[in-house]
Amino acid sequence: MFANTVRSLLPRRAQSHFKRNLHKPFVKIVEVGPRDGLQNEPTHVPTDVKIEFINKLSETGLQSIEVTSFVSPKWVPQMGDNTEVFTKIAKKPSISYPVLVPNVKGLEAAVSVGAKEIAVFASASEGFSRKNTNCSTQEGVNRIKEIVEKTKSLDSTLRIRGYISCVVGCPYDGYIQPKAVTTICESLLSLGCYEISLGDTIGVGTRSTMEKMIKDLLKITSADKLAIHCHDTYGQALVNICTALDLGIRVVDSSVSGLGGCPYAAGATGNVASEDLVYMLHGMGAETGVDLKKLISAGHFISEKIKKPTASRVNKAMYKKYFQ
Ligand SMILES: [Zn+2]
């Protein structure tokens, strides 16, 4: 069903994804494990392990890997080695290596090490914005405006990706009205973000809340400006991703091994596991460009290093049983 309906749902600008294979829709995966994943892992991960991990991910066929965050190490000690990680990874010209930037200071640090793409973030929820960044959602947008203004003098070619967190639910404010997401999304797009990643930060979204939120957004923008970012806390991530795909979204964020968690929801898991996502997409007849076997190996590597069993159900044992 997905493969058949895909083309009719696709906005014209996103149809270029079909050029590589006219019969298979292309879904781009943004791997966020090294940043969103590891940032929320309690185990300290040595810098050389992160570098080796990212280098392994670069060999899988992924097109975008978010590698670190230029935040103050006082806030996020796990990302304190951002400069070393960014400068020492073996970068491939075909891959984008975005870094998360919370403010102008972070932007300056990112540009000084040669970052070509940054990610900025705002929240659709007032409660989350205040707790997480100590400002209102509007002040969060203003902070992004400052970052964007600064890029013009530092590096006008820098690509800027926007995240909106808590797009359907918030640990403090509960259900989030689609209007709140639409307002922030409109602001970030007008500031010049090339794409907005819609984050179900605590994984409370369901097919119906996702659908309502995305349909509202499609009244003000096209699906090729949107990406989906689902955490799997309540087992809804793949269903929610399918909902986004049905509505024309073709970019999905995920973390290999389902790395990460959410400090705001007890027992929360991380992002949807990249391995499970790739397995599902290939099973649907979509193309990702990702070698599932290599992806599983990269996930196995980091799971062993942080001594945490992979959250992915598509693992080495499963692959061996069904594919070899
Ligand atoms: Zn996330």
Side-chain angles (χ1 to χ4, degrees):
M1 183 194 79
F2 163 69
N4 292 334
T5 58
V6 130
R7 229 159 307 161
S8 58
L9 288 167
L10 206 65
R12 189 160 289 172
R13 289 172 64 183
Q15 286 181 3
S16 59
H17 285 320
F18 282 101
K19 279 180 188 161
R20 53 173 66 206
N21 186 331
L22 288 172
H23 303 291
K24 286 189 173 186
F26 187 81
V27 177
K28 179 180 159 185
I29 294 173
V30 177
E31 171 61 47
V32 296
R35 200 283 301 169
D36 196 20
L38 292 186
Q39 177 178 310
N40 289 307
E41 289 293 345
T43 312
H44 172 74
V45 184
T47 306
D48 59 337
V49 170
K50 288 180 192 167
I51 293 167
E52 195 176 346
F53 173 43
I54 295 163
N55 288 347
K56 284 182 187 297
L57 290 170
S58 288
E59 297 298 326
T60 62
L62 285 161
Q63 294 183 354
S64 185
I65 307 168
E66 194 175 86
V67 287
T68 188
S69 172
F70 282 84
V71 298
S72 163
K74 266 186 258 168
W75 296 355
V76 188
Q78 183 78 277
M79 297 286 121
D81 54 1
N82 42 31
T83 294
E84 205 179 344
V85 167
F86 189 84
T87 52
K88 289 190 176 170
I89 51 172
K91 297 184 195 69
K92 286 183 182 261
S94 58
I95 303 176
S96 185
Y97 297 94
V99 297
L100 192 76
V101 160
N103 49 33
V104 169
K105 202 175 165 202
L107 168 73
E108 287 168 342
V111 169
S112 75
V113 298
K116 301 274 181 273
E117 178 174 345
I118 59 164
V120 294
F121 57 92
S123 175
S125 143
E126 288 295 339
F128 190 85
S129 189
R130 293 218 170 268
K131 289 270 182 185
N132 199 35
T133 47
N134 207 19
C135 67
S136 70
T137 55
Q138 186 52 50
E139 285 164 344
V141 171
N142 295 345
R143 186 174 39 82
I144 291 173
K145 194 175 177 194
E146 282 173 28
I147 296 172
V148 173
E149 288 297 322
K150 190 71 185 177
T151 61
K152 289 172 188 162
S153 60
L154 287 177
D155 178 3
S156 59
T157 65
L158 203 70
R159 279 159 56 85
I160 307 172
R161 187 173 197 246
Y163 279 113
I164 304 179
S165 54
C166 297
V167 292
V168 282
C170 164
Y172 311 106
D173 296 357
Y175 176 64
I176 298 297
Q177 293 291 341
K179 177 85 183 80
V181 185
T182 308
T183 305
I184 303 284
C185 185
E186 237 173 347
S187 302
L188 298 194
L189 287 171
S190 71
L191 285 174
C193 291
Y194 78 90
E195 181 175 280
I196 305 298
S197 176
L198 306 164
D200 181 11
T201 312
I202 53 169
V204 290
T206 60
R207 186 168 181 94
S208 64
T209 54
M210 277 285 168
E211 191 177 58
K212 200 164 183 293
M213 183 268 299
I214 296 167
K215 278 186 172 171
D216 257 42
L217 279 171
L218 292 176
K219 291 175 190 161
I220 60 128
T221 189
S222 51
D224 63 331
K225 293 278 182 198
L226 302 173
I228 193 83
H229 178 115
C230 293
H231 284 246
D232 201 30
T233 319
Y234 303 103
Q236 303 300 302
L238 289 177
V239 172
N240 291 339
I241 289 165
C242 283
T243 305
L245 294 170
D246 283 345
L247 292 168
I249 291 177
R250 292 291 172 270
V251 182
V252 183
D253 299 357
S254 63
S255 285
V256 75
S257 284
L259 288 174
C262 179
Y264 310 101
T269 63
N271 268 103
V272 65
S274 306
E275 300 92 317
D276 295 357
L277 174 66
V278 168
Y279 179 65
M280 180 188 80
L281 290 170
H282 291 180
M284 284 173 154
E287 212 186 305
T288 64
V290 176
D291 181 324
L292 182 56
K293 192 179 178 186
K294 288 182 180 172
L295 193 66
I296 291 171
S297 291
H300 189 78
F301 169 81
I302 193 68
S303 299
E304 280 205 323
K305 292 290 181 189
I306 64 171
K307 298 184 175 59
K308 180 183 167 185
T310 176
S312 170
R313 283 142 285 193
V314 177
N315 52 29
K316 270 197 167 170
M318 180 272 192
Y319 193 88
K320 206 171 170 189
K321 188 170 175 189
Y322 293 105
F323 293 98
Q324 283 179 336

